[in-house]
Amino acid sequence: MNQRNRKQNKAGFTLIELLVVIVIIGVIGTIAGGYFMKEPDKARVKAAAASMTSLSTQLERFRLDMGRYPSEDEGLIALLQAPENDDGSWGGKYVTKNKDLRDPWGNEFVYKSPASNGDDYEIISLGADGAEGGEDFNTDLSSVDE
């Protein structure tokens, strides 16, 4: 009867073995989680660049219809709603929704006309933090940098 009890005790995992496995799984999860947590931000940066390219295309359509780009005062909302001084040339809606004028982080794109480098306009995303400057995913993105 003593040998039978010993065999039954050896049949399962010990508490220490279970704790070691749990710690190993935790370490692997932490490493993998840290890697995958950066992926959504990388995707948002790419989406912001794509959105700025799309807005640039719509600004060109606006210019073809109106003979000019929206003023800085009119802003990008001129792609969604006809400007007050429209003489009937506005051919919009150039974008379909107000959210098309926001970056992937939910902040409004900044529109400058003329751009600081002398271009006709500049579209800026302030990045993940929604403030000027920053590093990594908080870096400002500009349509003139593309």
Side-chain angles (χ1 to χ4, degrees):
M1 189 62 82
N2 233 353
Q3 284 183 341
R4 188 173 185 184
N5 285 342
R6 282 190 207 156
K7 284 184 182 179
Q8 287 178 346
N9 287 341
K10 291 184 181 186
F13 294 106
T14 65
L15 180 59
I16 292 176
E17 290 171 329
L18 288 174
L19 289 175
V20 168
V21 170
I22 290 171
V23 168
I24 291 171
I25 290 172
V27 169
I28 292 171
T30 301
I31 292 169
Y35 175 76
F36 288 113
M37 291 300 287
K38 294 179 184 176
E39 293 303 311
D41 284 323
K42 287 181 185 177
R44 285 186 183 102
V45 169
K46 290 179 183 178
S51 292
M52 287 189 291
T53 300
S54 175
L55 287 172
S56 293
T57 301
Q58 301 315 317
L59 285 168
E60 293 302 323
R61 287 184 55 219
F62 181 97
R63 184 187 61 79
L64 288 172
D65 290 341
M66 299 289 287
R68 64 178 179 81
Y69 292 104
S71 68
E72 198 165 314
D73 289 337
E74 292 170 331
L76 292 174
I77 196 72
L79 298 176
L80 187 63
Q81 301 168 355
E84 289 182 21
N85 60 353
D86 177 32
D87 61 1
S89 301
W90 189 75
K93 293 185 172 182
Y94 300 96
V95 295
T96 56
K97 300 175 189 153
N98 199 19
K99 75 175 190 171
D100 295 333
L101 305 177
R102 295 184 171 277
D103 67 16
W105 294 278
N107 305 311
E108 289 186 21
F109 282 106
V110 176
Y111 175 72
K112 293 185 179 181
S113 180
S116 55
N117 70 348
D119 285 355
D120 292 317
Y121 64 86
E122 181 177 14
I123 304 167
I124 301 168
S125 168
L126 298 176
D129 63 353
E132 287 189 30
E135 296 177 3
D136 297 323
F137 300 115
N138 295 327
T139 302
D140 299 347
L141 306 169
S142 170
S143 61
V144 297
D145 294 339
E146 296 176 341

